[in-house]
Amino acid sequence: MIVTTTELFKQAYGKYAIGAYNINNMEQAVGLFRGNLGKSGKNSDPVDNTKAAPFIIQISRGARDYSDTRILEGIIRACDEVFPEAIFAVHLDHGTEEVCYDCIKSGFYSSVMIDASHEEFEKNVEITKRVVDAAHEKGVVVEAELGQLGGVEEDVVGSVKLTRPEDAAKFIELTNCDSLAVAIGTSHGAFKFSGTQGLHFDVLTEIQKAVNAVKPNFPLVMHGSSSVPQEWVRRINIAGGHLAGASGVNEDEYFKASQLGVTKINIDTDGRLVWCATLREEFILHPEVFDLRPSGKVFMKNYADYIVHKNQKLGSAGSLADVTAALK
Ligand code: G3H
Ligand code: 13P
Ligand code: ZN
């Protein structure tokens, strides 16, 4: 069942974070649905309520263009039918104003992100406010971004600008956005930290205090949150890859962030690492195989297992039954 991110945030706020996972193809979609229902093997396996979690499917502009956005949407619609117990939001990741309007009009997305974080404060407010007004008219909710992560966001290369707490409070009042992505030390991709840097919990604490003074229980979002597991990086490198110095967010910090108002945690890179390691290993282990399905099956299982693990770290694992009772 497709719901808005706001409906999920109301259930999760202050208790755990909802995993927001980027997908591009059928294999990722199936692995994602299975994992969020606590299934590891077949679609028809029973739901494991000790592991099952609500989730957010993120579609980037790159994912929309990979083949044709209608094909990706068709896959998600089919998964909704195949996995009727799943509760999830369909969210545009890092949208421009134009793509936001396209998604709002489509009637398929329950949530969009307008990312004008590279603009000056006033311009960011102006663009975000226009998108919020258009989205709310259609029952779609909006995530905005203030501050700048390091690394690359789609086509924008950023240098870090941590979000200022007083600006965050002013921004959500002026724009009426439904959630806000804040920059607290993470960056996109597989090379986040060199040395011992980590998340700025001091800044996050101040942001939560400031935004809650104007809107209580306001959901914050953390982008660039892949943990870049060293085990997967090692497997990629052993199987012929070259990812030197890759590093990510400490997974134990997800839950800590969720206690400070972070209700959505974005993970894309980790899914790519699982894909890359799986395919490299499968080709080495079975050099005689040229059928795409055996490796695809292993990937779907590995990805589902990885999602279960992630949700355990986010604290959302095991919450689906309660969320279902509240929303259905
Ligand atoms: O934040 C960016 C996401 O990881 C999406 O990446 O634009 O390559 O699909 P992408
Ligand atoms: P990662 O690159 O850390 O997976 O971040 C993904 C993200 O923020 C998508 O918007
Ligand atoms: Zn992002």
Side-chain angles (χ1 to χ4, degrees), residues 6 35 55 61 69 85 89 142 154 179 249 256 261-262 289 328:
T6 298
F55 60 105
R61 282 176 283 141
T69 185
E85 302 91 350
V142 179
E154 296 258 351
S179 60
V249 173
K256 198 170 158 194
V262 171
V289 172
K328 271 202 170 167

Side-chain angles (χ1 to χ4, degrees), residues 22 24 60-63 93-94 152-154 188 223 268 272:
N22 290 66
N24 297 271
S60 71
R61 282 176 283 141
D93 190 28
H94 294 286
V152 183
E153 293 194 358
E154 296 258 351
H188 290 104
H223 281 243
D268 182 5
R272 297 178 185 203

